[in-house]
Amino acid sequence: MHFTVEAQSIAKRYLAAGAIAIDATTGNGFDTLFLAEQVGDSGFVYGVDIQTHAIEAVRHKLQHAGTFHRCRLTACSHAQLKTIVEESHQGAISVAMFNLGYLPFGDKTIVTQPESTILALDQVAGLIRPGGLITILAYLGHSGGKTEALHVGQWVETKKDEFDVERHQDAGNENSPILWALSKRFKT
Ligand SMILES: C[S@@+](CC[C@H](N)C(=O)[O-])C[C@H]1O[C@@H](n2cnc3c(N)ncnc32)[C@H](O)[C@@H]1O
């Protein structure tokens, strides 16, 4: 739990009114709602999840909170993110959040997969503005979790010339979730 709080607390530093953000794994909508609140009425949030019922539930959550008008939710894979983000927003995204794994209290067989996760990360790396942030939270406890985290870790290594990288994991617990925070450098 504290990693989701940590991800939001890092993201908060990169968000201001008018910012554009992505929740790449909308799930139960906690990060989507957080992003929508941070960007205010002049901002915009894209949220995607492959589970249509999750997207529908989040739509209600955002409507209830009065923030739905500044969000676009799409039931699809994050591997299609580039086709969803408006051209004028490409290269202007302040924060993109990935919370990998399965939907808590949902179908645990529907989990993020390394191949689509890496495809999505590749796209998001290009969509983020200089000075913007990508957070990736990976869980190791479920089947396939360690393999996905390994792929993400390798992907992160390839981005170190473009992004400053922070990696958080509980010391002494090899099954602890891993949180990466990648901050895109300004070109010099
Ligand atoms: C850990 S949950 C996300 C939790 C969410 N951030 C929240 O605040 O409740 C992971 C989510 O990723 C979704 N997912 C799995 N594969 C996906 C994909 N290829 N594209 C987008 N979402 C995917 C699952 O359906 C699940 O809802």
Side-chain angles (χ1 to χ4, degrees):
M1 181 60 167
H2 73 90
F3 286 97
T4 53
V5 174
E6 179 73 14
Q8 289 189 359
S9 122
I10 297 169
K12 206 167 181 170
R13 305 203 301 260
Y14 291 77
L15 291 163
I20 307 158
I22 295 174
D23 185 349
T25 49
T26 294
N28 290 319
F30 293 105
D31 291 328
T32 319
L33 180 59
F34 159 77
L35 292 169
E37 287 170 347
Q38 298 300 313
V39 304
D41 253 339
S42 53
F44 199 78
V45 177
Y46 295 90
V48 298
D49 199 289
I50 43 168
Q51 299 195 59
T52 307
H53 70 89
I55 287 287
E56 277 311 297
V58 174
R59 182 170 63 80
H60 288 299
K61 183 177 269 191
L62 297 172
Q63 280 169 337
H64 186 70
T67 56
F68 182 63
H69 57 284
R70 58 183 90 133
C71 300
R72 182 179 301 165
L73 300 180
T74 310
C76 72
S77 171
H78 39 218
Q80 290 166 253
L81 262 171
K82 198 160 186 283
T83 64
I84 289 160
V85 175
E86 283 176 24
E87 207 146 315
S88 62
H89 291 168
Q90 301 203 6
I93 304 294
S94 291
V95 168
M97 300 183 78
F98 288 76
N99 185 355
L100 303 174
Y102 57 80
L103 183 64
F105 312 111
D107 183 344
K108 294 188 177 170
T109 64
I110 304 175
V111 292
T112 52
Q113 300 292 332
E115 196 181 322
S116 40
T117 299
I118 299 301
L119 276 173
L121 285 170
D122 271 337
Q123 292 171 34
V124 161
L127 296 172
I128 290 285
R129 68 172 178 80
L133 174 81
I134 305 172
T135 64
I136 314 160
L137 178 51
Y139 302 89
L140 312 190
H142 62 279
S143 163
K146 282 194 173 123
T147 305
E148 183 172 47
L150 195 71
H151 279 82
V152 171
Q154 287 166 350
W155 180 86
V156 167
E157 285 303 312
T158 69
K159 292 290 155 191
K160 283 191 165 167
D161 52 346
E162 215 185 326
F163 289 84
D164 293 320
V165 176
E166 276 177 38
R167 184 182 182 281
H168 304 254
Q169 185 174 28
D170 283 342
N173 175 4
E174 60 173 28
N175 282 323
S176 152
I178 305 173
L179 171 65
W180 287 272
L182 282 74
S183 174
K184 193 169 190 171
R185 286 195 210 108
F186 291 91
K187 288 207 172 82
T188 48

